[in-house]
Amino acid sequence: QVQLVESGGGLVKPGGSLRLSCKTVVSPGIFAVLTMAWYRQAPGKERELVAAISADGNTISNSVPGRFTLSRDNAKNTIFLQMNNLKPEDAAVYFCNTHSETWAWGRGTQVIVSS
């Protein structure tokens, strides 16, 4: 059974930065061939795709270019989301999953952007 564990969220002031991590507990070799993605869900809104990264580390989509950057470490079954110059509208619970939303969702990690 696959487990997704997101971390790194918190309270940050506008203009601040956070680095989110998503550890995928899955059989060896599976993670490394998958396109993974970050999603977010703000209060009262549907979950939306933020960005996706291919198995070999190329960003294939990014709804927040210039401020958000993805990376991954296949040896650690982990993807990262570096978020800079955060804005109040970035506040949400952030989740990871495959680009096809294959697995059961984790608990996510909450990002609060407030002065």
Side-chain angles (χ1 to χ4, degrees), residues 26 30-36 53-56 72 74 98 102-103:
V26 67
I30 293 178
F31 177 86
V33 300
L34 292 173
T35 295
M36 296 295 294
I53 185 167
S54 67
D56 58 358
R72 65 189 292 163
N74 286 342
T98 70
T102 306
W103 298 322

Side-chain angles (χ1 to χ4, degrees), residues 5 10-11 23 27 31-32 38 51 66 68 80 83 89 94 105 107 110 113 115:
V5 182
L11 172 63
K23 171 75 174 179
S27 298
F31 177 86
W38 281 99
F68 289 10
F80 305 96
M83 305 188 296
E89 55 263 39
Y94 284 72
W105 296 97
R107 294 186 175 184
Q110 187 168 20
V113 184
S115 55

Side-chain angles (χ1 to χ4, degrees), residues 18-82:
L18 285 172
R19 188 185 192 222
L20 307 184
S21 299
C22 168
K23 171 75 174 179
T24 302
V25 181
V26 67
S27 298
I30 293 178
F31 177 86
V33 300
L34 292 173
T35 295
M36 296 295 294
W38 281 99
Y39 303 80
R40 66 185 179 187
Q41 186 169 19
K45 296 186 177 181
E46 293 188 355
R47 185 154 35 207
E48 63 176 359
L49 174 68
V50 176
I53 185 167
S54 67
D56 58 358
N58 292 313
T59 298
I60 61 172
S61 71
N62 188 347
S63 66
V64 195
R67 296 195 295 119
F68 289 10
T69 304
L70 296 92
S71 60
R72 65 189 292 163
D73 184 340
N74 286 342
K76 296 181 179 179
N77 283 11
T78 302
I79 63 170
F80 305 96
L81 184 67
Q82 177 67 43

